[in-house]
Amino acid sequence: MHAHGHGERTSRVLRVSLGITLAYIVVLVVAGIRAHSLALLSEAGHNVSDFLALLLSLTAVFLQARPPSATKTYGYHRAGVLAAFINALSLVGVAFLIFYEAARRLYEPEVVHAGVMMWVAGAGVVMNGVIALLLWRRSGHDVNLRSVLLHEVGDTVSTAAVIGGGWAILWTGQNWIDPALSFGIGALILWSSFGIVRETLNILLEGTPTGLQLEKIRGAVRAVPGVNDIHDLHVWSIGSDTRALSCHISIADIPPSASEGILRQVQALLAAQFHIHHTTIQFEHAQCDIAHG
């Protein structure tokens, strides 16, 4: 019930953000064309990627709420991770398009209407800031929402830079400032996308979750009374905030009722110290011939 309520509130925030972003894209395109401002058109491109990011995230939230099935036994937790990965890749594409157009504008400068540029950018700072705040309050450990939040934070910062660029153009009359700003916006977009690409690829390739060290887990489990050794240890992420673990644990030749107590202690330890709640643990009463993992 709690998870359902959380998903519904997240979905509502994303739907509101979608509507506001779409309206602002229209304003940016119209104002960018009228003001001959590549920086505003770059912002429109960035906001289109934000719109797609929000749409993908909304779809992912819907899919993640679906229960596991006979064919999807873990459910759809990775839908949000996949959405974040696609969002980050789309940002890389947007950044290189901006670089190309900015380079062209440096060789063929256009007169920019700085006043229009500043007013529209000012509205964008307010809009992106509000959306970023809403997403920040809901993001937590969800890489899907954090990828969208990065889009919005990047937009807020880059739009604020557009206002500064507008002032500079107004006072100096140097129109090269507009494409120079666009290079900066593109670099910011590129930088913000790399972290998400790295994290989502790690999850999709079932790497060890960021921040976890197998040796620390191994040492903690070995310290549990009754545990002789642990091997074939694997830890991975099912979704952005769902970790899983499998391992073999060597124990003395004791009755099942006694080994049940060891199992409960190990599971409680993994949940409390490492936030791992999904475990598959195999007990062995003698050393396994398989090489230690």
Side-chain angles (χ1 to χ4, degrees):
M1 193 67 160
H2 172 74
H4 176 75
H6 172 82
E8 183 56 39
R9 288 191 295 272
T10 300
S11 177
R12 187 163 55 247
V13 167
L14 290 171
R15 288 197 302 268
V16 170
S17 301
L18 268 172
I20 296 172
T21 302
L22 182 60
Y24 187 57
I25 288 169
V26 174
V27 172
L28 280 170
V29 170
V30 172
I33 292 171
R34 292 189 63 180
H36 303 289
S37 171
L38 177 60
L40 286 182
L41 291 174
S42 297
E43 281 299 295
H46 196 178
N47 276 272
V48 167
S49 74
D50 285 348
F51 182 83
L52 294 175
L54 289 162
L55 190 60
L56 279 168
S57 293
L58 184 60
T59 304
V61 167
F62 169 74
L63 288 173
Q64 286 177 162
R66 295 181 64 182
S69 66
T71 56
K72 300 290 185 297
T73 55
Y74 279 126
Y76 293 80
H77 292 285
R78 292 240 173 120
V81 178
L82 188 58
F85 179 67
I86 295 171
N87 286 342
L89 286 184
S90 73
L91 278 175
V92 173
V94 168
F96 281 105
L97 283 174
I98 291 172
F99 290 152
Y100 171 79
E101 186 60 22
R104 190 189 67 79
R105 282 284 187 101
L106 282 174
Y107 284 102
E108 301 173 14
E110 293 188 21
V111 176
V112 178
H113 299 292
V116 175
M117 181 177 164
M118 290 163 59
W119 280 107
V120 174
V125 168
V126 174
M127 184 209 74
N128 288 317
V130 168
I131 293 176
L133 179 62
L134 291 172
L135 290 170
W136 175 74
R137 292 174 63 183
R138 305 244 34 101
S139 59
H141 297 289
D142 192 328
V143 72
N144 173 31
L145 288 185
R146 282 195 291 117
S147 71
V148 185
L149 176 60
L150 267 180
H151 276 256
E152 296 298 335
V153 170
D155 266 358
T156 305
V157 174
S158 61
T159 308
V162 171
I163 297 174
W167 273 110
I169 293 171
L170 203 61
W171 284 101
T172 66
Q174 299 296 315
N175 290 307
W176 61 264
I177 294 172
D178 183 60
L181 267 176
S182 300
F183 273 116
I185 293 169
L188 180 65
I189 294 170
L190 203 57
W191 175 81
S192 68
S193 65
F194 281 151
I196 294 294
V197 169
R198 185 169 57 249
E199 184 173 353
T200 51
L201 265 181
N202 188 56
I203 293 173
L204 293 172
L205 295 174
E206 298 195 341
T208 302
T210 304
L212 286 186
Q213 296 178 18
L214 290 186
E215 283 308 313
K216 286 188 176 180
I217 297 174
R218 189 177 280 114
V221 172
R222 280 175 176 158
V224 173
V227 172
N228 294 333
D229 196 14
I230 173 174
H231 50 274
D232 288 341
L233 174 62
H234 304 278
V235 184
W236 68 99
S237 295
I238 299 172
S240 58
D241 57 355
T242 309
R243 296 167 172 177
L245 173 146
S246 68
C247 68
H248 292 189
I249 291 180
S250 297
I251 59 175
D253 191 4
I254 55 178
S257 56
S259 64
E260 179 66 23
I262 298 174
L263 178 62
R264 284 198 299 269
Q265 287 185 67
V266 170
Q267 289 175 329
L269 166 80
L270 292 171
Q273 290 191 24
F274 305 102
H275 307 292
I276 300 171
H277 300 280
H278 187 97
T279 59
T280 304
I281 298 172
Q282 179 178 327
F283 281 139
E284 297 171 346
H285 300 291
Q287 283 291 340
C288 183
D289 292 332
I290 302 173
H292 287 197

